[in-house]
Amino acid sequence: MHALYVMGYIALMLVIGFYFSRRKVHDDSDFIVAGRSLSTMVLTATLLATFVGSGSIVGGASFVFQYGPGAAIFFFAGIPVAALLIYFLLASKMRRSEATTIPGLIEARFGPTARTLASLIILLAYVGIVSYQFTGAGQALNLAFGLPVWQGVLISAAVMIGLATMGGLISVAYTDYMSAVIIFISMLMAVPLVLAPLGGLDGLYKALPQVQQSLLGGLSPWQAMGYFLPLFLLILGDQNLFQRFAAARDPATARKAAMGLVIASIACTSLIVLLVCATRVLYPEITPSTAMMTLAQQGLPTVIGGFLLASIVALLLTTGNSYLLSASASLTQDILGGLFKIRIAPHRALLANRLTVVGLGVLAWVLGAFFPSVLAMQMYSYGMYGAAITPVFLAALLWPRATPAGAVAAMVVGGLVTLVWEIVLGKPMGWNSVLVAMPLATLTMIAISLMKRPAHLSGATTTGNNG
């Protein structure tokens, strides 16, 4: 019965994608930034759906299942904390920018070399993020239909690539809106149903393993910080978020949506933590990453469980779509157009974006074979982006003193340290790479920038002295 809900919901998403591809997507702008037409409610919902995808429902659920509710605060706090900083500092600046990609904005401050490097790093990180969306959705389809996970991954990849190829951001935004509403209502209805047999919140807390009743759940402070920083830094400088703000009707809409993300993310992640902790008590022997899907199938009435499972699958699918679209924009605009100087005719730009979505989706599927753990791929991808891109992006918006040489050096250091720490050294001391790579990248940018006075500041000083 649960499978019927999932099948029906996927079919509905495909119908919506087809509708928008025929009626609303006419050019490159419609495909990449939804014609800059999104309202506050739709923008808030698509932001929430993007950052509560596999990262929260599979990777986050796995983390909560293993370490408990106290440690979950560190894992999930990155979303509202980053969104709050964006509300006060960045949202309006992002929307006022003429750029539609982070590398495009970086080039305006730091030149073409910085843009090329940023776009390559973003591609590497985003293909990784898409890959674990495939894996998470494959696990969900395994539970819903009994398919082998590899078949679920193939089907998920095909649906994600198809949806992204058809309708672009506008179809993703509206399916996100629908999915966010349904999953929030489903989780809200599920909480009292699973808490009642456990004796409420107090009974749930006492039934958890002793180590999970502590604040850090057995993690060291550095390990806990290593789980907080990747998601925090990703969202703070995420091109996916930048692309959505570019799709807002105006800067005021973008700023309101940032505050909406703060409130909605706190509410949704709190519900996820409660439901996963209850699942930990009710079904202690399951695979941690399947906690939310197991609860939907086995621990809830059919209707509520069916809607919850369908919306979980939908969120996994649309989050993958979002990162495919962002990666496609970087590939066509920043690498093909910026690095290789390939000029794509306006009437062919839409086709070019659709073809790159397909190519990047296939690459993400191949990469998934090397990172079978969703949580491992998640921390690697978030760490790569947070260490190499976010410090440079923030400097481009907030620090006039930063120089092109400093920005390029920071991206090189951040990317290389992440790769060496994760792949060559195998995460010494259990620390995620961002704890080392991000500070080194930031210090590198500051040190090199301070060694040479930027040209725009030198010119201002000279003019002042002559006057």
Side-chain angles (χ1 to χ4, degrees):
M1 182 60 72
H2 292 88
L4 293 178
Y5 285 87
V6 176
M7 290 173 62
Y9 206 103
I10 292 175
L12 179 60
M13 291 174 67
L14 290 171
V15 168
I16 292 173
F18 181 76
Y19 168 80
F20 279 110
S21 72
R22 302 291 294 178
R23 298 295 183 89
K24 300 292 185 181
V25 180
H26 306 296
D27 56 30
D28 204 30
S29 174
D30 292 335
F31 191 82
I32 295 175
V33 290
R36 300 186 186 271
S37 64
L38 299 186
S39 66
T40 301
M41 288 295 293
V42 173
L43 190 55
T44 299
T46 189
L47 287 171
L48 179 68
T50 299
F51 298 114
V52 186
S54 176
S56 296
I57 293 188
V58 179
S62 177
F63 182 87
V64 176
F65 196 95
Q66 295 175 71
Y67 300 109
I73 295 172
F74 293 89
F75 186 94
F76 287 120
I79 302 175
V81 173
L84 201 59
L85 289 175
I86 289 167
Y87 173 79
F88 285 110
L89 296 176
L90 302 176
S92 296
K93 293 178 183 289
M94 289 180 182
R95 178 56 183 84
R96 283 196 293 266
S97 171
E98 292 300 317
T100 56
T101 65
I102 293 288
L105 183 144
I106 286 174
E107 181 185 32
R109 271 295 314 276
F110 302 124
T113 301
R115 176 184 183 175
T116 298
L117 190 56
S119 55
L120 290 172
I121 292 170
I122 286 173
L123 274 182
L124 185 62
Y126 278 11
V127 168
I129 291 174
V130 172
S131 180
Y132 74 70
Q133 303 299 328
F134 289 172
T135 303
Q139 291 176 354
L141 293 181
N142 165 257
L143 286 175
F145 299 103
L147 296 171
V149 172
W150 70 268
Q151 290 183 10
V153 170
L154 272 177
I155 293 170
S156 301
V159 173
M160 286 188 211
I161 294 168
L163 280 171
T165 303
M166 283 192 295
L169 181 58
I170 193 165
S171 68
V172 171
Y174 280 93
T175 52
D176 279 352
Y177 178 75
M178 180 173 61
S179 300
V181 170
I182 292 175
I183 197 168
F184 183 78
I185 293 173
S186 300
M187 290 194 298
L188 202 60
M189 296 175 68
V191 166
L193 295 176
V194 297
L195 288 182
L198 297 176
L201 287 173
D202 187 57
L204 170 62
Y205 181 75
K206 291 178 180 176
L208 290 170
Q210 190 69 35
V211 67
Q212 294 192 9
Q213 296 179 25
S214 64
L215 178 61
L216 298 181
L219 296 172
S220 71
W222 283 108
Q223 287 175 321
M225 186 58 65
Y227 281 104
F228 165 79
L229 282 175
L231 185 55
F232 169 74
L233 291 171
L234 173 75
I235 294 175
L236 201 58
D238 186 19
Q239 176 170 285
N240 208 13
L241 183 142
F242 180 80
Q243 189 175 359
R244 275 160 171 69
F245 283 153
R249 289 175 178 170
D250 50 50
T253 298
R255 198 160 183 264
K256 290 175 187 175
M259 180 52 69
L261 179 60
V262 174
I263 298 167
S265 64
I266 292 173
C268 272
T269 54
S270 297
L271 292 173
I272 289 172
V273 170
L274 285 173
L275 293 174
V276 173
C277 285
T279 307
R280 174 71 177 82
V281 174
L282 294 170
Y283 308 101
E285 301 302 321
I286 64 170
T287 303
S289 61
T290 65
M292 287 289 289
M293 285 85 82
T294 299
L295 179 66
Q297 275 207 306
Q298 301 180 28
L300 296 171
T302 301
V303 173
I304 297 175
F307 275 114
L308 180 59
L309 185 62
S311 56
I312 286 172
V313 173
L315 285 180
L316 296 173
L317 295 176
T318 56
T319 302
N321 296 345
S322 299
Y323 282 98
L324 271 177
L325 289 171
S326 282
S328 168
S330 267
L331 181 56
T332 55
Q333 296 183 25
D334 301 314
I335 295 180
L336 297 181
L339 176 60
F340 294 108
K341 308 299 181 186
I342 297 173
R343 296 291 169 244
I344 301 172
H347 67 282
R348 293 186 176 178
L350 182 57
L351 176 61
N353 273 288
R354 283 174 164 158
L355 290 175
T356 57
V357 164
V358 174
L360 291 170
V362 172
L363 178 61
W365 173 72
V366 173
L367 185 62
F370 296 95
F371 286 88
S373 164
V374 173
L375 189 59
M377 174 62 86
Q378 180 183 1
M379 289 299 103
Y380 159 74
S381 300
Y382 288 3
M384 169 66 75
Y385 195 101
I389 298 298
T390 300
V392 177
F393 168 68
L394 294 177
L397 289 177
L398 302 174
W399 192 37
R401 187 67 178 80
T403 64
V408 169
M411 287 188 282
V412 171
V413 169
L416 286 179
V417 172
T418 298
L419 292 173
V420 170
W421 191 268
E422 294 280 346
I423 297 174
V424 178
L425 300 180
K427 293 175 65 171
M429 299 175 287
W431 290 10
N432 285 319
S433 57
V434 71
L435 284 171
V436 179
M438 189 273 291
L440 286 176
T442 303
L443 290 173
T444 298
M445 179 169 58
I446 292 171
I448 293 180
S449 294
L450 293 178
M451 289 170 62
K452 183 178 180 181
R453 192 165 186 79
H456 66 281
L457 290 185
S458 298
T461 303
T462 302
T463 302
N465 290 341
N466 290 341

